[in-house]
Amino acid sequence: MTRAERIVSAAIQHQGVTISLPMPARHAQVLHCAEQFLPDYALPAFCQGFLTSEGRFVNRVQARQIGYIAGQEPKTTGNERDLYSEDLW
């Protein structure tokens, strides 16, 4: 039996480069890490999302759908469309 794809970490992506930290890291921690290594980065230019168990970067909307299908039972933080790390861990 094949396991469903799951959300495994918070991540950001810019120009094809993905930066992530393992759970329970939040997006703010990932952004802070990026700032340490990329001092000239532009915060608004990053897309916030998640990495899946298949190694894919997905945006917040895709992540909510994947988490739901995988049975990760995302809590709601007031936004029914997007997924936030607080919804999972």
Side-chain angles (χ1 to χ4, degrees):
M1 184 167 116
T2 304
R3 284 190 70 171
E5 185 174 29
R6 301 174 54 77
I7 300 301
V8 297
S9 65
I12 59 173
Q13 192 174 64
H14 179 62
Q15 296 181 346
V17 175
T18 302
I19 302 169
S20 70
L21 292 172
M23 69 172 138
R26 307 268 190 237
H27 286 94
Q29 293 166 298
V30 179
L31 288 164
H32 180 71
C33 182
E35 182 180 35
Q36 301 301 310
F37 293 100
L38 306 169
D40 296 329
Y41 84 105
L43 183 64
F46 281 98
C47 176
Q48 295 185 26
F50 293 86
L51 282 184
T52 74
S53 56
E54 301 295 318
R56 293 190 313 131
F57 176 85
V58 295
N59 65 33
R60 290 183 184 274
V61 174
Q62 295 165 316
R64 180 166 281 284
Q65 294 168 346
I66 291 167
Y68 179 78
I69 291 168
Q72 290 180 283
E73 300 181 26
K75 296 174 247 156
T76 189
T77 54
N79 185 328
E80 296 292 328
R81 188 187 83 136
D82 298 338
L83 185 70
Y84 293 86
S85 53
E86 292 84 354
D87 296 329
L88 294 175
W89 51 81

